[in-house]
Amino acid sequence: MKSITGSDFNYSPVYRQAIEILNISRHISNYLVQDLAALKQNGKEDQDIYFSGDIVQQSISLVPNILRAESEPFAEEKHKYAASVTRLTNLLYKNCERLELSNSNGKEFLRILRFELKKFRRLQRIWKLTL
């Protein structure tokens, strides 16, 4: 996926994994939107198209919350942002599950994203202990 450059070593593993999740989410969303954008036979749009945008938005929100948690001087504020990261991760995982039920050819790619989210959750547990 993304190669690690010298400047990436300044960031935590959680941050780098969040960037990876963001990139995967964007690619999956672009692929799914093409399948889900077509109107159904009854003339209505597929409601699952909104979940594809949600995974991108939630992935985008992970990165600044991680940076804020790492840069805050007070523990209470760090834990507030860490809780936000946890909440976003859970929402992201739930939306992946919802999209897997959609009528799209790209839903197999969501397994990749869920696998990366599982890795992220493991990193996140350790990260929260170090804040």
Side-chain angles (χ1 to χ4, degrees):
M1 293 278 165
K2 180 183 164 209
S3 64
I4 297 175
T5 60
S7 63
D8 287 340
F9 287 114
N10 298 333
Y11 297 110
S12 68
V14 169
Y15 176 84
R16 290 192 303 258
Q17 185 67 24
I19 295 293
E20 186 70 23
I21 288 169
L22 174 59
N23 290 332
I24 293 169
S25 296
R26 283 183 175 159
H27 285 79
I28 289 173
S29 179
N30 287 337
Y31 188 84
L32 289 176
V33 164
Q34 294 172 7
D35 283 349
L36 299 174
L39 295 177
K40 294 182 180 180
Q41 290 179 348
N42 61 4
K44 295 186 178 185
E45 65 184 359
D46 193 336
Q47 294 298 312
D48 294 334
I49 196 166
Y50 297 109
F51 295 130
S52 66
D54 289 346
I55 64 169
V56 173
Q57 186 58 44
Q58 290 156 356
S59 299
I60 289 171
S61 298
L62 279 177
V63 176
N65 282 311
I66 290 169
L67 290 176
R68 286 184 191 127
E70 291 176 348
S71 65
E72 281 294 326
F74 302 108
E76 186 176 310
E77 292 294 314
K78 287 179 186 255
H79 293 294
K80 179 179 91 172
Y81 288 116
S84 178
V85 170
T86 301
R87 189 175 63 256
L88 287 166
T89 305
N90 292 338
L91 287 170
L92 191 52
Y93 197 86
K94 187 68 168 174
N95 284 330
C96 284
E97 289 176 337
R98 289 176 179 156
L99 279 169
E100 283 182 349
L101 299 174
S102 69
N103 188 20
S104 172
N105 295 330
K107 59 186 173 186
E108 294 86 23
F109 296 120
L110 290 163
R111 290 186 197 132
I112 297 169
L113 181 56
R114 285 192 349 165
F115 177 75
E116 293 298 324
L117 283 169
K118 286 179 184 177
K119 286 182 4 185
F120 182 74
R121 282 179 169 167
R122 285 191 296 263
L123 288 171
Q124 188 180 2
R125 268 185 250 130
I126 296 167
W127 174 72
K128 287 196 297 189
L129 293 173
T130 64
L131 289 178

